[in-house]
Amino acid sequence: MKTNEELRQDVMDEIRWDPQLRDVATEIGVAAKDGVVTLSGSVHTYWKKRAAEKAAQRVSGVKVVASDVEVRVGPMQKKTDTEIAEAVKNSLRWNSAVNEDQIEVKVDKGWVYLDGLVDFQYEKVAAQRAVEDLLSVMGVTNNIAIKSEAVDTKDIQRKIAAAFHRSATVDSSSIKIEAAGHKVKLSGKVRSWAELKEAENIALSAPGVTSIENRIKIDVEVYA
């Protein structure tokens, strides 16, 4: 098991290793305690903040990532809320995975709020990814809902279990799947945050699933 200092150093090394973050790596601080990693500092775009969070989550031994990283946009790059809203709409319009007519956009002091109703979870995810890297975006709140239709819970469980079994990342034998209507509950133990999020993403990709209750725990020692 890693010490707090070893985990902190591994996260710092991963941030420095990521090509997206090499220009801001020295601006990001890292603290680690008992598997909880806290990021601090500032970056000039929201997508770099998200990239730092994802880099930390990839590191073995990380259980939780708390991000206190601030997005600070320079005066030459700063856009008005109206300009950001127009850029968001254009980005959604040009994204083939998104139906822009189903999504409402609001911007308040650089923070983007997405609302609406879509058919599949991947559309909700695609909409957020389409706007995260836009200039002057300070953050994104994704309130897009998924349409609910009648589902076969046993069929959902079978499909998710089969997808876990196909995955090279997820240990399907360590995860329990329970479905109730459109909601799926996952429990068990995995080796890393990355495996936990991959299990969650796979389950959310199942047709008819609108929400996940993720009770999976990270326990690196169980696989030692």
Side-chain angles (χ1 to χ4, degrees):
M1 186 173 180
K2 296 177 182 177
T3 65
N4 291 335
E5 178 55 29
E6 288 172 335
L7 186 58
R8 186 187 76 87
Q9 189 60 54
D10 281 354
V11 172
M12 290 178 62
D13 289 343
E14 185 65 21
I15 288 173
R16 294 190 186 107
W17 178 259
D18 192 323
Q20 303 174 93
L21 298 170
R22 286 174 187 167
D23 61 329
V24 296
T26 58
E27 306 298 320
I28 300 173
V30 179
K33 184 176 181 181
D34 301 330
V36 178
V37 169
T38 303
L39 305 178
S40 58
S42 64
V43 292
H44 57 274
T45 61
Y46 179 65
W47 73 265
K48 284 188 180 288
K49 175 180 178 176
R50 294 285 293 125
E53 294 167 1
K54 291 175 183 177
Q57 291 165 355
R58 289 195 297 266
V59 175
S60 174
V62 172
K63 297 180 180 179
V64 178
V65 175
S67 180
D68 293 328
V69 176
E70 295 182 41
V71 178
R72 295 180 180 175
V73 180
M76 298 298 291
Q77 297 176 313
K78 195 169 184 61
K79 304 293 183 182
T80 66
D81 285 348
T82 300
E83 290 172 323
I84 295 171
E86 188 61 32
V88 168
K89 291 176 183 177
N90 286 333
S91 183
L92 294 174
R93 185 177 300 123
W94 285 94
N95 191 315
S96 61
V98 176
N99 182 349
E100 60 166 323
D101 295 332
Q102 295 177 310
I103 300 172
E104 298 175 8
V105 177
K106 177 185 174 183
V107 182
D108 184 13
K109 297 178 181 178
W111 200 280
V112 177
Y113 296 85
L114 301 176
D115 288 277
L117 187 65
V118 295
D119 297 309
F120 300 103
Q121 174 67 22
Y122 79 83
E123 295 174 289
K124 176 177 180 175
V125 174
Q128 178 163 337
R129 288 176 178 169
V131 304
E132 284 182 337
D133 61 348
L134 295 177
L135 198 62
S136 287
V137 169
M138 307 297 287
V140 180
T141 297
N142 192 342
N143 295 319
I144 297 172
I146 314 297
K147 291 180 182 178
S148 296
E149 298 179 357
V151 293
D152 182 336
T153 55
K154 290 185 178 180
D155 186 52
I156 285 176
Q157 289 181 211
R158 283 195 298 269
K159 287 179 177 178
I160 294 174
F164 282 170
H165 186 71
R166 292 193 300 270
S167 173
T169 307
V170 176
D171 181 358
S172 58
S173 65
S174 67
I175 301 175
K176 182 180 179 182
I177 307 162
E178 297 176 69
H182 299 274
K183 183 177 180 179
V184 170
K185 181 170 76 174
L186 303 177
S187 58
K189 294 182 179 180
V190 295
R191 295 157 289 191
S192 67
W193 178 271
E195 186 177 357
L196 181 151
K197 293 305 293 183
E198 179 66 11
E200 182 177 299
N201 290 336
I202 288 173
L204 276 171
S205 297
V209 174
T210 60
S211 64
I212 297 290
E213 181 182 351
N214 196 339
R215 294 190 176 183
I216 297 174
K217 295 182 179 180
I218 300 170
D219 188 353
V220 294
E221 292 184 341
V222 103
Y223 291 91

